[in-house]
Amino acid sequence: MKPIGKIDVIKAMLSKACEKMKTARIDFDNERYDDSVSRSYYAVFHTISAVLLSKGLHFSSHSQTIGAFNKEFIKSKEFPASFTKIIENLFNERQTGDYDFETYLDADIAKEDLEEAEKIIDACETYLAKIYKVSRNYWKE
């Protein structure tokens, strides 16, 4: 069996992120806002994990992954500082949607999370295309 190269794993991670975004949109369209928010967060989580893997970094927890992304890519100004707050909000709202039985997220929050997730995913896919010298479409093939 041929070993999988790093770019192949990154492509698989981005494919999973794309599937999560599709599900987030379907959930949103069906007014399942808690689930839409959760899927938006996981799409971003898989995407930033892929970006970290481009530097050979992988972490076992969400907080480690987010912290490493901030350290490696936000502090170096590779990505805008605003991404830190967006990712924190996505994480916190995912926690609310998944675990808080008394609070439900609404359409406005879910719509904003979809848009913010798409912004981060787009920037990360562009970054990865640049460093691997592939077209942006490569991640969707």
PDB file of all heavy atoms in Angstrom, residues 20 27 32-42 62 89-105 113:
ATOM      1  N   LYS A  20     -18.711  19.166   6.013  1.00  0.00           N
ATOM      2  CA  LYS A  20     -19.316  19.777   7.210  1.00  0.00           C
ATOM      3  C   LYS A  20     -20.048  21.072   6.841  1.00  0.00           C
ATOM      4  O   LYS A  20     -21.129  21.357   7.366  1.00  0.00           O
ATOM      5  CB  LYS A  20     -18.261  20.069   8.284  1.00  0.00           C
ATOM      6  CG  LYS A  20     -17.537  18.854   8.809  1.00  0.00           C
ATOM      7  CD  LYS A  20     -18.433  17.923   9.544  1.00  0.00           C
ATOM      8  CE  LYS A  20     -17.627  16.741  10.063  1.00  0.00           C
ATOM      9  NZ  LYS A  20     -18.441  15.561  10.292  1.00  0.00           N
ATOM     10  N   ASP A  27     -28.618  22.029   7.386  1.00  0.00           N
ATOM     11  CA  ASP A  27     -29.216  22.228   8.712  1.00  0.00           C
ATOM     12  C   ASP A  27     -29.808  23.626   8.834  1.00  0.00           C
ATOM     13  O   ASP A  27     -30.917  23.795   9.363  1.00  0.00           O
ATOM     14  CB  ASP A  27     -28.174  22.002   9.815  1.00  0.00           C
ATOM     15  CG  ASP A  27     -27.833  20.531  10.008  1.00  0.00           C
ATOM     16  OD1 ASP A  27     -28.624  19.660   9.598  1.00  0.00           O
ATOM     17  OD2 ASP A  27     -26.755  20.261  10.570  1.00  0.00           O
ATOM     18  N   ARG A  32     -32.462  23.974  11.681  1.00  0.00           N
ATOM     19  CA  ARG A  32     -31.771  23.252  12.760  1.00  0.00           C
ATOM     20  C   ARG A  32     -30.501  24.050  13.075  1.00  0.00           C
ATOM     21  O   ARG A  32     -29.393  23.672  12.696  1.00  0.00           O
ATOM     22  CB  ARG A  32     -31.458  21.814  12.328  1.00  0.00           C
ATOM     23  CG  ARG A  32     -32.708  20.983  12.088  1.00  0.00           C
ATOM     24  CD  ARG A  32     -32.396  19.507  11.871  1.00  0.00           C
ATOM     25  NE  ARG A  32     -31.423  19.267  10.826  1.00  0.00           N
ATOM     26  CZ  ARG A  32     -31.689  18.773   9.618  1.00  0.00           C
ATOM     27  NH1 ARG A  32     -32.932  18.465   9.282  1.00  0.00           N
ATOM     28  NH2 ARG A  32     -30.725  18.578   8.744  1.00  0.00           N
ATOM     29  N   TYR A  33     -30.703  25.163  13.742  1.00  0.00           N
ATOM     30  CA  TYR A  33     -29.633  26.141  13.918  1.00  0.00           C
ATOM     31  C   TYR A  33     -28.518  25.660  14.839  1.00  0.00           C
ATOM     32  O   TYR A  33     -27.342  25.937  14.585  1.00  0.00           O
ATOM     33  CB  TYR A  33     -30.205  27.478  14.386  1.00  0.00           C
ATOM     34  CG  TYR A  33     -31.252  28.000  13.434  1.00  0.00           C
ATOM     35  CD1 TYR A  33     -32.541  28.283  13.867  1.00  0.00           C
ATOM     36  CD2 TYR A  33     -30.961  28.167  12.074  1.00  0.00           C
ATOM     37  CE1 TYR A  33     -33.503  28.742  12.978  1.00  0.00           C
ATOM     38  CE2 TYR A  33     -31.920  28.625  11.184  1.00  0.00           C
ATOM     39  CZ  TYR A  33     -33.193  28.904  11.651  1.00  0.00           C
ATOM     40  OH  TYR A  33     -34.151  29.351  10.770  1.00  0.00           O
ATOM     41  N   ASP A  34     -28.862  24.937  15.911  1.00  0.00           N
ATOM     42  CA  ASP A  34     -27.817  24.397  16.781  1.00  0.00           C
ATOM     43  C   ASP A  34     -26.872  23.502  15.990  1.00  0.00           C
ATOM     44  O   ASP A  34     -25.649  23.594  16.119  1.00  0.00           O
ATOM     45  CB  ASP A  34     -28.424  23.582  17.931  1.00  0.00           C
ATOM     46  CG  ASP A  34     -29.073  24.425  19.008  1.00  0.00           C
ATOM     47  OD1 ASP A  34     -29.032  25.668  18.915  1.00  0.00           O
ATOM     48  OD2 ASP A  34     -29.623  23.833  19.958  1.00  0.00           O
ATOM     49  N   ASP A  35     -27.435  22.630  15.172  1.00  0.00           N
ATOM     50  CA  ASP A  35     -26.620  21.708  14.382  1.00  0.00           C
ATOM     51  C   ASP A  35     -25.847  22.438  13.286  1.00  0.00           C
ATOM     52  O   ASP A  35     -24.705  22.083  12.978  1.00  0.00           O
ATOM     53  CB  ASP A  35     -27.485  20.602  13.773  1.00  0.00           C
ATOM     54  CG  ASP A  35     -28.018  19.648  14.832  1.00  0.00           C
ATOM     55  OD1 ASP A  35     -27.381  19.511  15.890  1.00  0.00           O
ATOM     56  OD2 ASP A  35     -29.080  19.043  14.599  1.00  0.00           O
ATOM     57  N   SER A  36     -26.452  23.456  12.704  1.00  0.00           N
ATOM     58  CA  SER A  36     -25.764  24.246  11.691  1.00  0.00           C
ATOM     59  C   SER A  36     -24.517  24.905  12.281  1.00  0.00           C
ATOM     60  O   SER A  36     -23.441  24.867  11.680  1.00  0.00           O
ATOM     61  CB  SER A  36     -26.703  25.308  11.113  1.00  0.00           C
ATOM     62  OG  SER A  36     -26.027  26.126  10.189  1.00  0.00           O
ATOM     63  N   VAL A  37     -24.665  25.488  13.452  1.00  0.00           N
ATOM     64  CA  VAL A  37     -23.538  26.134  14.126  1.00  0.00           C
ATOM     65  C   VAL A  37     -22.447  25.108  14.440  1.00  0.00           C
ATOM     66  O   VAL A  37     -21.259  25.360  14.227  1.00  0.00           O
ATOM     67  CB  VAL A  37     -24.019  26.866  15.405  1.00  0.00           C
ATOM     68  CG1 VAL A  37     -22.854  27.252  16.300  1.00  0.00           C
ATOM     69  CG2 VAL A  37     -24.846  28.086  15.027  1.00  0.00           C
ATOM     70  N   SER A  38     -22.845  23.950  14.919  1.00  0.00           N
ATOM     71  CA  SER A  38     -21.882  22.905  15.244  1.00  0.00           C
ATOM     72  C   SER A  38     -21.095  22.481  14.009  1.00  0.00           C
ATOM     73  O   SER A  38     -19.863  22.372  14.052  1.00  0.00           O
ATOM     74  CB  SER A  38     -22.612  21.698  15.846  1.00  0.00           C
ATOM     75  OG  SER A  38     -21.700  20.679  16.174  1.00  0.00           O
ATOM     76  N   ARG A  39     -21.771  22.276  12.910  1.00  0.00           N
ATOM     77  CA  ARG A  39     -21.095  21.857  11.679  1.00  0.00           C
ATOM     78  C   ARG A  39     -20.198  22.969  11.135  1.00  0.00           C
ATOM     79  O   ARG A  39     -19.118  22.689  10.607  1.00  0.00           O
ATOM     80  CB  ARG A  39     -22.095  21.429  10.604  1.00  0.00           C
ATOM     81  CG  ARG A  39     -22.984  20.231  10.973  1.00  0.00           C
ATOM     82  CD  ARG A  39     -22.214  18.981  11.340  1.00  0.00           C
ATOM     83  NE  ARG A  39     -21.952  18.959  12.770  1.00  0.00           N
ATOM     84  CZ  ARG A  39     -21.181  18.098  13.407  1.00  0.00           C
ATOM     85  NH1 ARG A  39     -20.531  17.169  12.753  1.00  0.00           N
ATOM     86  NH2 ARG A  39     -21.009  18.141  14.708  1.00  0.00           N
ATOM     87  N   SER A  40     -20.618  24.225  11.270  1.00  0.00           N
ATOM     88  CA  SER A  40     -19.769  25.348  10.845  1.00  0.00           C
ATOM     89  C   SER A  40     -18.466  25.349  11.638  1.00  0.00           C
ATOM     90  O   SER A  40     -17.384  25.532  11.082  1.00  0.00           O
ATOM     91  CB  SER A  40     -20.485  26.684  11.036  1.00  0.00           C
ATOM     92  OG  SER A  40     -21.564  26.817  10.150  1.00  0.00           O
ATOM     93  N   TYR A  41     -18.588  25.147  12.952  1.00  0.00           N
ATOM     94  CA  TYR A  41     -17.387  25.092  13.781  1.00  0.00           C
ATOM     95  C   TYR A  41     -16.475  23.954  13.337  1.00  0.00           C
ATOM     96  O   TYR A  41     -15.266  24.136  13.176  1.00  0.00           O
ATOM     97  CB  TYR A  41     -17.737  24.926  15.269  1.00  0.00           C
ATOM     98  CG  TYR A  41     -16.511  24.512  16.049  1.00  0.00           C
ATOM     99  CD1 TYR A  41     -15.502  25.435  16.320  1.00  0.00           C
ATOM    100  CD2 TYR A  41     -16.316  23.183  16.439  1.00  0.00           C
ATOM    101  CE1 TYR A  41     -14.338  25.052  16.975  1.00  0.00           C
ATOM    102  CE2 TYR A  41     -15.163  22.791  17.089  1.00  0.00           C
ATOM    103  CZ  TYR A  41     -14.179  23.726  17.357  1.00  0.00           C
ATOM    104  OH  TYR A  41     -13.022  23.341  17.985  1.00  0.00           O
ATOM    105  N   TYR A  42     -17.038  22.763  13.155  1.00  0.00           N
ATOM    106  CA  TYR A  42     -16.196  21.619  12.795  1.00  0.00           C
ATOM    107  C   TYR A  42     -15.548  21.796  11.425  1.00  0.00           C
ATOM    108  O   TYR A  42     -14.424  21.326  11.201  1.00  0.00           O
ATOM    109  CB  TYR A  42     -16.966  20.305  12.889  1.00  0.00           C
ATOM    110  CG  TYR A  42     -16.943  19.773  14.303  1.00  0.00           C
ATOM    111  CD1 TYR A  42     -18.062  19.861  15.122  1.00  0.00           C
ATOM    112  CD2 TYR A  42     -15.782  19.220  14.835  1.00  0.00           C
ATOM    113  CE1 TYR A  42     -18.032  19.396  16.424  1.00  0.00           C
ATOM    114  CE2 TYR A  42     -15.743  18.766  16.145  1.00  0.00           C
ATOM    115  CZ  TYR A  42     -16.869  18.854  16.934  1.00  0.00           C
ATOM    116  OH  TYR A  42     -16.820  18.409  18.225  1.00  0.00           O
ATOM    117  N   HIS A  62      -9.170  20.278  20.983  1.00  0.00           N
ATOM    118  CA  HIS A  62      -9.622  21.479  20.277  1.00  0.00           C
ATOM    119  C   HIS A  62      -8.881  22.708  20.782  1.00  0.00           C
ATOM    120  O   HIS A  62      -8.447  23.535  19.982  1.00  0.00           O
ATOM    121  CB  HIS A  62     -11.139  21.654  20.455  1.00  0.00           C
ATOM    122  CG  HIS A  62     -11.925  20.633  19.717  1.00  0.00           C
ATOM    123  ND1 HIS A  62     -12.666  20.926  18.608  1.00  0.00           N
ATOM    124  CD2 HIS A  62     -12.071  19.300  19.904  1.00  0.00           C
ATOM    125  CE1 HIS A  62     -13.244  19.832  18.151  1.00  0.00           C
ATOM    126  NE2 HIS A  62     -12.899  18.826  18.933  1.00  0.00           N
ATOM    127  N   ASN A  89     -15.675  32.365  18.997  1.00  0.00           N
ATOM    128  CA  ASN A  89     -17.136  32.431  18.970  1.00  0.00           C
ATOM    129  C   ASN A  89     -17.740  31.145  18.412  1.00  0.00           C
ATOM    130  O   ASN A  89     -18.718  30.624  18.957  1.00  0.00           O
ATOM    131  CB  ASN A  89     -17.620  33.626  18.143  1.00  0.00           C
ATOM    132  CG  ASN A  89     -17.475  34.937  18.862  1.00  0.00           C
ATOM    133  OD1 ASN A  89     -17.383  34.996  20.084  1.00  0.00           O
ATOM    134  ND2 ASN A  89     -17.450  36.016  18.114  1.00  0.00           N
ATOM    135  N   LEU A  90     -17.160  30.645  17.321  1.00  0.00           N
ATOM    136  CA  LEU A  90     -17.654  29.392  16.745  1.00  0.00           C
ATOM    137  C   LEU A  90     -17.561  28.256  17.764  1.00  0.00           C
ATOM    138  O   LEU A  90     -18.499  27.472  17.925  1.00  0.00           O
ATOM    139  CB  LEU A  90     -16.867  29.035  15.484  1.00  0.00           C
ATOM    140  CG  LEU A  90     -17.156  29.862  14.238  1.00  0.00           C
ATOM    141  CD1 LEU A  90     -16.078  29.630  13.182  1.00  0.00           C
ATOM    142  CD2 LEU A  90     -18.524  29.530  13.679  1.00  0.00           C
ATOM    143  N   PHE A  91     -16.427  28.173  18.450  1.00  0.00           N
ATOM    144  CA  PHE A  91     -16.237  27.129  19.456  1.00  0.00           C
ATOM    145  C   PHE A  91     -17.276  27.254  20.571  1.00  0.00           C
ATOM    146  O   PHE A  91     -17.928  26.269  20.941  1.00  0.00           O
ATOM    147  CB  PHE A  91     -14.820  27.199  20.033  1.00  0.00           C
ATOM    148  CG  PHE A  91     -14.582  26.199  21.134  1.00  0.00           C
ATOM    149  CD1 PHE A  91     -14.309  24.877  20.836  1.00  0.00           C
ATOM    150  CD2 PHE A  91     -14.640  26.586  22.465  1.00  0.00           C
ATOM    151  CE1 PHE A  91     -14.102  23.950  21.847  1.00  0.00           C
ATOM    152  CE2 PHE A  91     -14.436  25.672  23.480  1.00  0.00           C
ATOM    153  CZ  PHE A  91     -14.166  24.342  23.177  1.00  0.00           C
ATOM    154  N   ASN A  92     -17.432  28.463  21.111  1.00  0.00           N
ATOM    155  CA  ASN A  92     -18.372  28.677  22.214  1.00  0.00           C
ATOM    156  C   ASN A  92     -19.816  28.425  21.800  1.00  0.00           C
ATOM    157  O   ASN A  92     -20.591  27.828  22.557  1.00  0.00           O
ATOM    158  CB  ASN A  92     -18.214  30.081  22.791  1.00  0.00           C
ATOM    159  CG  ASN A  92     -16.901  30.257  23.523  1.00  0.00           C
ATOM    160  OD1 ASN A  92     -16.338  29.300  24.060  1.00  0.00           O
ATOM    161  ND2 ASN A  92     -16.383  31.470  23.534  1.00  0.00           N
ATOM    162  N   GLU A  93     -20.174  28.864  20.607  1.00  0.00           N
ATOM    163  CA  GLU A  93     -21.548  28.649  20.133  1.00  0.00           C
ATOM    164  C   GLU A  93     -21.789  27.175  19.821  1.00  0.00           C
ATOM    165  O   GLU A  93     -22.883  26.662  20.035  1.00  0.00           O
ATOM    166  CB  GLU A  93     -21.837  29.557  18.943  1.00  0.00           C
ATOM    167  CG  GLU A  93     -21.957  30.997  19.402  1.00  0.00           C
ATOM    168  CD  GLU A  93     -21.900  32.042  18.314  1.00  0.00           C
ATOM    169  OE1 GLU A  93     -21.715  31.698  17.137  1.00  0.00           O
ATOM    170  OE2 GLU A  93     -22.015  33.238  18.666  1.00  0.00           O
ATOM    171  N   ARG A  94     -20.758  26.483  19.358  1.00  0.00           N
ATOM    172  CA  ARG A  94     -20.880  25.029  19.156  1.00  0.00           C
ATOM    173  C   ARG A  94     -21.132  24.348  20.495  1.00  0.00           C
ATOM    174  O   ARG A  94     -21.983  23.465  20.614  1.00  0.00           O
ATOM    175  CB  ARG A  94     -19.603  24.488  18.505  1.00  0.00           C
ATOM    176  CG  ARG A  94     -19.699  23.066  17.985  1.00  0.00           C
ATOM    177  CD  ARG A  94     -19.322  21.966  18.926  1.00  0.00           C
ATOM    178  NE  ARG A  94     -18.047  22.124  19.582  1.00  0.00           N
ATOM    179  CZ  ARG A  94     -17.531  21.209  20.390  1.00  0.00           C
ATOM    180  NH1 ARG A  94     -18.148  20.073  20.601  1.00  0.00           N
ATOM    181  NH2 ARG A  94     -16.400  21.422  20.993  1.00  0.00           N
ATOM    182  N   GLN A  95     -20.409  24.772  21.530  1.00  0.00           N
ATOM    183  CA  GLN A  95     -20.615  24.218  22.869  1.00  0.00           C
ATOM    184  C   GLN A  95     -22.059  24.443  23.324  1.00  0.00           C
ATOM    185  O   GLN A  95     -22.693  23.532  23.856  1.00  0.00           O
ATOM    186  CB  GLN A  95     -19.651  24.869  23.871  1.00  0.00           C
ATOM    187  CG  GLN A  95     -18.195  24.569  23.651  1.00  0.00           C
ATOM    188  CD  GLN A  95     -17.806  23.206  24.158  1.00  0.00           C
ATOM    189  OE1 GLN A  95     -17.801  22.243  23.403  1.00  0.00           O
ATOM    190  NE2 GLN A  95     -17.482  23.122  25.420  1.00  0.00           N
ATOM    191  N   THR A  96     -22.558  25.652  23.106  1.00  0.00           N
ATOM    192  CA  THR A  96     -23.935  25.956  23.485  1.00  0.00           C
ATOM    193  C   THR A  96     -24.910  25.069  22.725  1.00  0.00           C
ATOM    194  O   THR A  96     -25.805  24.453  23.306  1.00  0.00           O
ATOM    195  CB  THR A  96     -24.256  27.450  23.211  1.00  0.00           C
ATOM    196  OG1 THR A  96     -23.400  28.259  24.016  1.00  0.00           O
ATOM    197  CG2 THR A  96     -25.708  27.772  23.522  1.00  0.00           C
ATOM    198  N   GLY A  97     -24.733  25.009  21.408  1.00  0.00           N
ATOM    199  CA  GLY A  97     -25.644  24.223  20.577  1.00  0.00           C
ATOM    200  C   GLY A  97     -25.626  22.743  20.879  1.00  0.00           C
ATOM    201  O   GLY A  97     -26.657  22.072  20.824  1.00  0.00           O
ATOM    202  N   ASP A  98     -24.462  22.217  21.212  1.00  0.00           N
ATOM    203  CA  ASP A  98     -24.333  20.780  21.450  1.00  0.00           C
ATOM    204  C   ASP A  98     -24.685  20.362  22.880  1.00  0.00           C
ATOM    205  O   ASP A  98     -25.172  19.256  23.088  1.00  0.00           O
ATOM    206  CB  ASP A  98     -22.910  20.309  21.147  1.00  0.00           C
ATOM    207  CG  ASP A  98     -22.632  20.220  19.653  1.00  0.00           C
ATOM    208  OD1 ASP A  98     -23.568  20.384  18.842  1.00  0.00           O
ATOM    209  OD2 ASP A  98     -21.458  19.988  19.303  1.00  0.00           O
ATOM    210  N   TYR A  99     -24.422  21.238  23.856  1.00  0.00           N
ATOM    211  CA  TYR A  99     -24.499  20.790  25.242  1.00  0.00           C
ATOM    212  C   TYR A  99     -25.457  21.563  26.145  1.00  0.00           C
ATOM    213  O   TYR A  99     -25.787  21.070  27.224  1.00  0.00           O
ATOM    214  CB  TYR A  99     -23.102  20.828  25.879  1.00  0.00           C
ATOM    215  CG  TYR A  99     -22.118  19.968  25.134  1.00  0.00           C
ATOM    216  CD1 TYR A  99     -21.053  20.534  24.439  1.00  0.00           C
ATOM    217  CD2 TYR A  99     -22.263  18.586  25.102  1.00  0.00           C
ATOM    218  CE1 TYR A  99     -20.149  19.744  23.738  1.00  0.00           C
ATOM    219  CE2 TYR A  99     -21.369  17.791  24.398  1.00  0.00           C
ATOM    220  CZ  TYR A  99     -20.315  18.376  23.722  1.00  0.00           C
ATOM    221  OH  TYR A  99     -19.434  17.591  23.030  1.00  0.00           O
ATOM    222  N   ASP A 100     -25.876  22.747  25.758  1.00  0.00           N
ATOM    223  CA  ASP A 100     -26.761  23.548  26.614  1.00  0.00           C
ATOM    224  C   ASP A 100     -28.211  23.195  26.283  1.00  0.00           C
ATOM    225  O   ASP A 100     -28.696  23.512  25.199  1.00  0.00           O
ATOM    226  CB  ASP A 100     -26.490  25.039  26.393  1.00  0.00           C
ATOM    227  CG  ASP A 100     -27.250  25.916  27.365  1.00  0.00           C
ATOM    228  OD1 ASP A 100     -28.280  25.473  27.920  1.00  0.00           O
ATOM    229  OD2 ASP A 100     -26.820  27.066  27.570  1.00  0.00           O
ATOM    230  N   PHE A 101     -28.877  22.559  27.226  1.00  0.00           N
ATOM    231  CA  PHE A 101     -30.246  22.095  26.986  1.00  0.00           C
ATOM    232  C   PHE A 101     -31.290  23.172  27.223  1.00  0.00           C
ATOM    233  O   PHE A 101     -32.467  22.962  26.942  1.00  0.00           O
ATOM    234  CB  PHE A 101     -30.540  20.868  27.859  1.00  0.00           C
ATOM    235  CG  PHE A 101     -29.618  19.730  27.558  1.00  0.00           C
ATOM    236  CD1 PHE A 101     -28.612  19.387  28.435  1.00  0.00           C
ATOM    237  CD2 PHE A 101     -29.741  19.026  26.369  1.00  0.00           C
ATOM    238  CE1 PHE A 101     -27.740  18.339  28.146  1.00  0.00           C
ATOM    239  CE2 PHE A 101     -28.886  17.977  26.070  1.00  0.00           C
ATOM    240  CZ  PHE A 101     -27.887  17.638  26.958  1.00  0.00           C
ATOM    241  N   GLU A 102     -30.876  24.309  27.715  1.00  0.00           N
ATOM    242  CA  GLU A 102     -31.812  25.390  27.999  1.00  0.00           C
ATOM    243  C   GLU A 102     -31.724  26.529  26.995  1.00  0.00           C
ATOM    244  O   GLU A 102     -32.561  27.418  26.995  1.00  0.00           O
ATOM    245  CB  GLU A 102     -31.576  25.923  29.410  1.00  0.00           C
ATOM    246  CG  GLU A 102     -31.837  24.877  30.473  1.00  0.00           C
ATOM    247  CD  GLU A 102     -31.501  25.359  31.871  1.00  0.00           C
ATOM    248  OE1 GLU A 102     -31.029  26.497  32.022  1.00  0.00           O
ATOM    249  OE2 GLU A 102     -31.715  24.583  32.810  1.00  0.00           O
ATOM    250  N   THR A 103     -30.694  26.536  26.160  1.00  0.00           N
ATOM    251  CA  THR A 103     -30.479  27.625  25.219  1.00  0.00           C
ATOM    252  C   THR A 103     -30.455  27.066  23.807  1.00  0.00           C
ATOM    253  O   THR A 103     -29.836  26.033  23.556  1.00  0.00           O
ATOM    254  CB  THR A 103     -29.132  28.326  25.507  1.00  0.00           C
ATOM    255  OG1 THR A 103     -29.117  28.750  26.867  1.00  0.00           O
ATOM    256  CG2 THR A 103     -28.930  29.518  24.592  1.00  0.00           C
ATOM    257  N   TYR A 104     -31.130  27.754  22.908  1.00  0.00           N
ATOM    258  CA  TYR A 104     -31.116  27.376  21.499  1.00  0.00           C
ATOM    259  C   TYR A 104     -30.606  28.547  20.688  1.00  0.00           C
ATOM    260  O   TYR A 104     -30.937  29.697  20.959  1.00  0.00           O
ATOM    261  CB  TYR A 104     -32.516  26.959  21.025  1.00  0.00           C
ATOM    262  CG  TYR A 104     -32.951  25.670  21.656  1.00  0.00           C
ATOM    263  CD1 TYR A 104     -33.638  25.666  22.872  1.00  0.00           C
ATOM    264  CD2 TYR A 104     -32.646  24.454  21.069  1.00  0.00           C
ATOM    265  CE1 TYR A 104     -34.012  24.482  23.467  1.00  0.00           C
ATOM    266  CE2 TYR A 104     -33.021  23.259  21.650  1.00  0.00           C
ATOM    267  CZ  TYR A 104     -33.709  23.282  22.855  1.00  0.00           C
ATOM    268  OH  TYR A 104     -34.068  22.101  23.437  1.00  0.00           O
ATOM    269  N   LEU A 105     -29.799  28.254  19.711  1.00  0.00           N
ATOM    270  CA  LEU A 105     -29.245  29.284  18.846  1.00  0.00           C
ATOM    271  C   LEU A 105     -30.269  29.636  17.774  1.00  0.00           C
ATOM    272  O   LEU A 105     -31.055  28.790  17.346  1.00  0.00           O
ATOM    273  CB  LEU A 105     -27.940  28.784  18.225  1.00  0.00           C
ATOM    274  CG  LEU A 105     -26.883  28.384  19.263  1.00  0.00           C
ATOM    275  CD1 LEU A 105     -25.719  27.671  18.602  1.00  0.00           C
ATOM    276  CD2 LEU A 105     -26.393  29.597  20.030  1.00  0.00           C
ATOM    277  N   ASP A 113     -22.442  32.549  11.620  1.00  0.00           N
ATOM    278  CA  ASP A 113     -21.413  31.510  11.758  1.00  0.00           C
ATOM    279  C   ASP A 113     -21.101  30.858  10.415  1.00  0.00           C
ATOM    280  O   ASP A 113     -19.937  30.565  10.125  1.00  0.00           O
ATOM    281  CB  ASP A 113     -21.845  30.459  12.782  1.00  0.00           C
ATOM    282  CG  ASP A 113     -21.717  30.964  14.209  1.00  0.00           C
ATOM    283  OD1 ASP A 113     -21.266  32.108  14.414  1.00  0.00           O
ATOM    284  OD2 ASP A 113     -22.084  30.205  15.132  1.00  0.00           O
TER     285      ASP A 113
END
